[in-house]
Structure formats: structure tokens, C-alpha cells
Amino acid sequence: MGVKHVEQIKAFVLLFLVLLSLVLTFLIWTYTPDYQTIEEAQGENKKISTDKEKELDQVINPYRMLVHENQNLSGTVESAQIDKVISALSQLNATEPTSSRRNISEDYFNKMINSGNRMTLFYPDEVPINTFRSILNFPENVQLNNVSFSHLIIDYSQTGKLKLYFLSEKNRTLYTMNAAMGARLFAQSFSEVIQNTVRYIEVQREGEFSLYLPENPVELWEYHYYMDEIPLESFEEALFKNPNIVQKNIENETSTNYNDESAIMEVDTKRKTIKYAYPDAEGIHAINRSDLIQDSLDFLNNHGGLTGDYRYAYSNPEGRIIKYQLFFQDLPVFSGITSTRISMEWGEYQIFRYERPYFKFGVSVETFQRQLPAGSEIVDNLSSLENVDEILVGYSLEKHPEKRIYILKPSWFVIKDGVGIPIPTETLGGTADGLE
């Protein structure tokens, strides 16, 4: 190779190195780290379970549906039947909601339920009408941020036409919508559901809202379960921003604390519950109810916190508090030995307090058929119906006295301020047949 060609190659290599140096210098000067991605990764909640995420219409559920038709009352608590009605509503287009009445009396409220051919969906607490947009289609041009309801009455007295009444027990308001429903959809949903209801009775109370109970004895199953526990380390990783600096302190045989410089998680291993607090996030301003519900559901979904059939039960926008109740076989679960609710209190842009159980039902080992007394028998044996919010059937979660299993025992409950108080029925004629 000649000297001339060697010099040309040297010059080309030198030029290439100079250009490469310029490019690398430019990349270094213009490089900006993706701080947003880093921040999101640090604050991202890890899953504590593999349970599927849930939509609003899967956690905001009526706990009862009542049917008034031809002067007869019937009802159901089965979600399979109630979901058919909800599904039918989701296929409709409704008119703009209009305010029909305010300062509703208890008597007027009761007459609304017990008139014409109507279905009533009972919700455990106020549901924002804006949140109900996830189910029912109606015009979006009107914002009703402060309008909520506790009972949805569906009047189907006129063929092909529905009248929807949104009643609020707390606010004593009534809003109305109209919607058209074809005969085929009505037959496939409403008519079929009505055929699968059982007889109910109305318990009237002077100056108070009526109570509604099954007319005949209730047949249910008692379940015996082993309990699974969600590993506490999963909550540690999901709730703390930097689990590597969290300190674990065993206070005694039933109490363990996890904490870092800004948050603390208290664990009660006997009750199988946790209490998480982030004091710096404390908030003082009220929050919109629909935002409170959506943000809380997002929070639970983000870390897989819906580890059972938890349903919306209570909200307090002024206090930024929301609660979810554990259900089993479409009935609420109450317990004196542990908590069966998820409770959240929001601060400024994030959770301030978070309390919940960390158990979930594992393997069923035994079942027994039980019969609970009729609703009328329950009412006749109560000394007073004052200050009673509701009377309903649910499950009492109890610990077996000898075995390492838990019992889901069907029971009647009086509900006062969201607390389920079991009604003793041993002397009221209930029977029990053991079927393993």
C-alpha cells in the first residue's frame, strides 16, 4: 500500500473520531433524566394479591331489591338477579335528571316504594348521581356534583316506559329521569328477576322509614373455613415508599409495628388487622363525594386491596372518610373478633389513614344448613324499633372454640350507625340440620 493511501486512511479515521466526539458531547449536554418516571416508580404501589381490579359498578351494589307489584311485596338480595336489572339499565338512555321534590317526609318516602308497579334498589349509603353515570347513560351537559341518592325506584307501570326516581334518605330530595325500554329487554331482565324474588313484608313505624323483611323463614348455609393471611411484607412493600428503610418492631405477642421517617403501620396479629397512617398527609378540606369514591377505588385497585367481596358502605365527604363492607354469598359479614371493613381517610392528595383486615377465606372444610326465623317473628321479639337503621340477614364471623377454623354463621342483625348487632334466635324456633 502506498504512502499516499496510508495518509488518506489516517485522515479519514481522524475525521471520524472528531465527529464521534462532537456527537457524544452533544448527547451529554442535552441529556435530561426522566425524573417523572423515577418518581412514579418510587411511589408506585405493588400488588398484595392477584385479585382482579374492580370497576365502580362492581363495588357500588344495592344490598336489596324490593318489588311492589299488584299490591304485593317481594324482594331479593341475590346479586345475580340484581345485576340483571343493573345490566338492563346500562343499555338505556335516560333524560336529564330534574329536581322533583325536597324535604321529603318519611311517609312520602314509604308511599313512593309501595305504589304502582315498582322496583326499589336499596344502597347502604348515598351514591352520587354523577358516579351512576358509569351505569346509566344520561346527558352530560348538567353537572350534579352535590346530588346523591340512597334508593333508586324504577316505575314500570307504563308499557315501554320507565320512570326513575332517585331518592336521598339523608338529604330528603327526589330527582326524576325517564327512559324507554323495549318489551324484549323488559322480559329478559325485569320479568325474569321478579319471578325469582321471595315474599317480603313491610314493617311500618310512625314517623320513620319502613323496614322490609322476608315473610317466611330463611334457609341458608353455615360455612367453616380455614383462613389465609396476606403476608404483612406485601403491605409493607405496597404502602411504604421505600421498604428498604422500614423498621419492624415487635411490641408483644399480638402487636407489631412497621415504620419509617414518615409513616407507621400497626399490626394486630390476634384480630388480623392493620392500621396504616401517614401523618404529614392530614387534610382539612372537604372532598367531593364522587371524587372520594373514585380515588379510593383507584387506591385499592393499585395495590390489589380488594381481597374479597368488599362493597361500598359509607362515605363522609366532609371528613374525607370512606368504608367498604365485606360480603359473603351476597350477605354482609359482621364480627366481634375482628374487623370486616376497609376504612380509608384521605389527606392532601394521598391516604392519611388506612385500616383493614389482612385475612381472606381459604379452604371450606364443612357446611351446615340453617333455618332462620321469619322476619315477622324477629320484629315481634324486639323490644323496640327506635333508632334502628335496618334489620337484615347476614353472616357472623366467629372463631371455632376448639379447631383452628372460622365459622360463617347466618344470623339476623339490627343495624345501627353501620354496626351490625346480632339478634339471638335460638329460642325463636330456628332449626339446624347438619350436612357435611
Side-chain angles (χ1 to χ4, degrees):
M1 181 181 295
V3 175
K4 181 178 180 180
H5 290 92
V6 172
E7 293 300 325
Q8 289 177 342
I9 292 173
K10 289 181 178 180
F12 175 78
V13 171
L14 180 62
L15 178 61
F16 173 76
L17 293 174
V18 171
L19 292 175
L20 180 62
S21 176
L22 291 174
V23 170
L24 292 175
T25 301
F26 175 78
L27 291 175
I28 292 173
W29 286 349
T30 59
Y31 172 69
T32 302
D34 190 356
Y35 293 111
Q36 181 66 28
T37 302
I38 294 174
E39 291 173 358
E40 288 179 356
Q42 289 177 339
E44 183 181 358
N45 293 323
K46 297 181 180 180
K47 296 285 185 180
I48 63 173
S49 75
T50 57
D51 293 343
K52 294 182 179 179
E53 296 183 3
K54 294 186 178 181
E55 302 293 335
L56 279 171
D57 60 350
Q58 294 176 291
V59 296
I60 301 181
N61 306 96
Y63 65 90
R64 175 195 296 134
M65 185 183 70
L66 199 69
V67 178
H68 182 274
E69 185 175 86
N70 300 324
Q71 303 302 315
N72 294 316
L73 274 178
S74 62
T76 184
V77 297
E78 294 182 14
S79 59
Q81 301 301 326
I82 297 175
D83 287 348
K84 292 176 184 177
V85 175
I86 298 295
S87 177
L89 292 178
S90 69
Q91 301 178 52
L92 304 180
N93 292 310
T95 61
E96 178 181 309
T98 57
S99 177
S100 301
R101 198 178 183 97
R102 295 183 181 276
N103 300 319
I104 295 175
S105 67
E106 289 86 352
D107 289 341
Y108 182 86
F109 202 103
N110 296 332
K111 289 178 181 178
M112 285 290 294
I113 294 176
N114 294 280
S115 301
N117 292 336
R118 295 178 172 180
M119 289 182 174
T120 302
L121 302 179
F122 290 67
Y123 289 85
D125 198 26
E126 298 288 310
V127 176
I129 284 187
N130 277 343
T131 299
F132 205 68
R133 291 181 189 274
S134 63
I135 296 173
L136 180 66
N137 298 314
F138 57 91
E140 298 183 1
N141 57 328
V142 177
Q143 293 298 315
L144 301 168
N145 293 326
N146 297 318
V147 177
S148 61
F149 66 97
S150 58
H151 296 69
L152 171 56
I153 298 177
I154 307 168
D155 190 314
Y156 56 93
S157 300
Q158 300 183 43
T159 303
K161 180 181 179 181
L162 299 181
K163 204 169 188 66
L164 308 177
Y165 299 101
F166 295 82
L167 288 87
S168 170
E169 186 174 315
K170 288 184 178 178
N171 302 322
R172 306 300 181 94
T173 57
L174 169 64
Y175 281 77
T176 307
M177 297 184 198
N178 294 308
M181 172 176 271
R184 182 177 180 181
L185 181 57
F186 182 88
Q188 290 177 342
S189 53
F190 285 33
S191 295
E192 183 178 333
V193 167
I194 294 172
Q195 294 173 4
N196 286 281
T197 56
V198 297
R199 298 277 297 189
Y200 266 64
I201 59 171
E202 178 188 10
V203 180
Q204 298 179 346
R205 301 181 294 172
E206 185 176 354
E208 295 190 61
F209 299 104
S210 291
L211 301 171
Y212 301 93
L213 297 85
E215 182 179 60
N216 299 314
V218 181
E219 299 280 353
L220 289 170
W221 290 88
E222 175 180 301
Y223 295 88
H224 292 203
Y225 269 90
Y226 285 113
M227 284 297 189
D228 287 340
E229 294 184 11
I230 302 167
L232 294 172
E233 292 73 20
S234 298
F235 285 104
E236 179 186 355
E237 294 180 1
L239 298 177
F240 290 92
K241 292 184 177 180
N242 187 354
N244 293 327
I245 64 172
V246 173
Q247 296 182 346
K248 177 181 177 181
N249 300 302
I250 300 177
E251 303 292 328
N252 52 57
E253 60 181 8
T254 63
S255 178
T256 302
N257 293 338
Y258 296 76
N259 65 278
D260 61 11
E261 72 278 0
S262 57
I264 183 171
M265 183 175 75
E266 300 176 357
V267 179
D268 187 329
T269 55
K270 182 178 180 180
R271 290 175 55 85
K272 301 186 188 304
T273 59
I274 66 168
K275 295 182 179 180
Y276 170 85
Y278 191 94
D280 292 342
E282 184 174 8
I284 59 174
H285 303 292
I287 187 174
N288 182 281
R289 193 188 300 270
S290 57
D291 291 339
L292 177 61
I293 293 174
Q294 184 63 64
D295 291 348
S296 300
L297 180 59
D298 290 342
F299 171 77
L300 290 171
N301 276 332
N302 284 342
H303 69 276
L306 293 168
T307 54
D309 186 8
Y310 286 95
R311 305 182 184 184
Y312 168 69
Y314 169 83
S315 61
N316 179 350
E318 290 74 24
R320 297 168 169 261
I321 298 171
I322 186 168
K323 298 180 181 181
Y324 289 77
Q325 177 69 49
L326 177 63
F327 274 67
F328 181 84
Q329 301 288 2
D330 295 328
L331 297 175
V333 179
F334 303 101
S335 180
I337 62 172
T338 184
S339 171
T340 56
R341 279 194 166 190
I342 294 175
S343 177
M344 288 167 280
E345 181 178 347
W346 281 85
E348 297 295 338
Y349 310 111
Q350 66 183 72
I351 284 292
F352 171 48
R353 287 195 179 95
Y354 177 40
E355 301 179 8
R356 60 163 300 144
Y358 63 87
F359 66 82
K360 59 181 181 178
F361 301 122
V363 178
S364 175
V365 292
E366 289 181 312
T367 58
F368 299 90
Q369 194 171 36
R370 302 297 188 196
Q371 184 184 86
L372 298 181
S376 58
E377 193 173 356
I378 292 296
V379 172
D380 290 342
N381 283 273
L382 291 177
S383 58
S384 173
L385 294 178
E386 293 183 7
N387 301 319
V388 171
D389 299 325
E390 186 62 276
I391 298 177
L392 46 73
V393 174
Y395 279 101
S396 177
L397 179 61
E398 305 170 1
K399 181 74 170 63
H400 195 285
E402 299 175 356
K403 302 178 183 178
R404 297 181 61 185
I405 58 177
Y406 288 79
I407 301 170
L408 282 159
K409 180 181 177 181
S411 305
W412 277 103
F413 291 89
V414 168
I415 309 300
K416 293 184 178 182
D417 298 324
V419 178
I421 304 170
I423 303 173
T425 59
E426 288 77 5
T427 61
L428 299 184
T431 62
D433 296 319
L435 297 176
E436 186 169 337

